[in-house]
Amino acid sequence: MAIKKRMNSRVGLAFCIAFIFLFSGGLHAQIQSIDSLRAAITIKEDSLSYFDNDYKQIKQSFDALNAEIFRQKKELETSSNPLTRLNLSSDLKESASLATRLDNLQQNKQRIRRELQNLYRLAIDDTDSLVKQKFKKVQHLQNNNQKISSLNLISLLEKEKKIWQKKLAETGPAESQKPLLVIEPGDNIERIQLKIQLLQDHIRQLDDELKKLYKRRSGLQSDLQIYEEMLSFMDNLQQNIDPEQEYFDQERSDQLKDDVRNAKLKISGIDERLDQLTRQKKELENKVQKFRVYFKKKLNQ
């Protein structure tokens, strides 16, 4: 409902500008450019709102799950309940999965925020340029009605420019969201220990995924080598056989070329994921080190 109301407001302002523009002898290309920016801004703002809502919901689940993990770990310090241990293992996997989703949403939000900032700047510059050009023309108009229409258009454009300026100021620099696991002023020794454990659990999850990806990559690399050798053999065979003979399997050759392309694409995708996970692991390991230093300071206090 709020999005629909916002869109109606924007459409109304745009319609007023276009209507006055029509009767004031305006600059068609510039007003079209601003219309396009207006539409692009609306789409980006609605996308950012969607990601914000999704992030908040998942973050609530993430926090609740980590609180449950903390409780389970405490319970296992004094008992060896196999059901609790099983639930803990499952919850740790789910926590790592939610952390990844939150990181992805955070990156999307930052990307859209940067794109919005660029769109706001373009809208401000285009609007300001149009106002200046329009104002120069007003001074030479003889018809009072045209002057009034032009001045009304300038007033609306100035109003819209202020809206963009306000939105740009509100977004500020593309800030990073608060990290999911950080040292906070109220953290005691137990809380720091829990956060270290959670970070280590996430690192183990990354290690497991890295091992699976390396194994998958090795298998694909082996397949690729076979495909390329077979394709090379068939290419040589095609060059040496009599063109009149019909037993050469062109379909098989084409299939091998597809297999080679697909294997290379999959390997490329795995390499990108390996790079991403390796960087994530390094960041987590650095964070664990900082937590341990802080933990030692706490113990010595």
Side-chain angles (χ1 to χ4, degrees), residues 25-26 29 44-45 48 64 78 84 112 124 152 208 246 278:
K44 293 295 181 184
E45 286 178 342
L48 183 60
T78 56
T84 300
I112 292 174
I124 291 167
N152 285 338
D208 289 342
E246 299 179 356
T278 301

Side-chain angles (χ1 to χ4, degrees), residues 132-279:
K132 289 176 180 177
Q133 292 180 62
K134 197 65 185 169
F135 190 74
K136 287 180 181 178
K137 288 182 173 290
V138 170
Q139 300 177 56
H140 301 289
L141 290 175
Q142 301 298 321
N143 186 295
N144 285 335
N145 288 333
Q146 287 184 341
K147 282 185 178 180
I148 292 171
S149 295
S150 295
L151 290 172
N152 285 338
L153 171 61
I154 290 172
S155 177
L156 284 174
L157 288 170
E158 279 291 312
K159 180 180 178 181
E160 189 170 34
K161 186 176 75 171
K162 289 178 181 178
I163 293 174
W164 303 140
Q165 289 171 333
K166 182 180 178 182
K167 287 177 179 287
L168 179 60
E170 288 172 348
T171 59
E175 77 281 7
S176 297
Q177 292 283 347
K178 185 179 180 181
L180 298 175
L181 291 169
V182 295
I183 298 172
E184 297 173 299
D187 283 345
N188 54 24
I189 290 177
E190 289 78 14
R191 188 67 179 170
I192 293 296
Q193 282 180 311
L194 170 64
K195 290 184 176 182
I196 291 174
Q197 290 173 351
L198 288 173
L199 286 168
Q200 290 172 331
D201 290 334
H202 290 168
I203 290 172
R204 281 192 289 272
Q205 294 289 333
L206 289 176
D207 280 335
D208 289 342
E209 189 172 351
L210 283 167
K211 288 177 183 177
K212 292 176 183 177
L213 286 172
Y214 278 120
K215 184 177 180 180
R216 174 64 176 152
R217 191 189 188 284
S218 177
L220 284 169
Q221 191 66 51
S222 178
D223 290 343
L224 177 60
Q225 184 177 350
I226 294 172
Y227 296 150
E228 288 179 330
E229 288 175 355
M230 291 177 64
L231 186 58
S232 176
F233 172 78
M234 294 191 73
D235 285 344
N236 290 333
L237 177 63
Q238 186 178 22
Q239 292 173 10
N240 294 322
I241 64 172
D242 187 344
E244 298 297 326
Q245 293 176 317
E246 299 179 356
Y247 62 78
F248 179 74
D249 192 350
Q250 183 62 49
E251 185 177 342
R252 175 58 178 155
S253 178
D254 292 340
Q255 180 61 52
L256 281 170
K257 290 177 182 177
D258 288 339
D259 291 338
V260 167
R261 281 194 296 269
N262 291 335
K264 287 182 177 179
L265 283 173
K266 289 177 181 178
I267 290 172
S268 176
I270 287 176
D271 286 343
E272 289 181 10
R273 181 61 176 159
L274 285 170
D275 182 63
Q276 179 187 16
L277 292 178
T278 301
R279 283 187 280 107

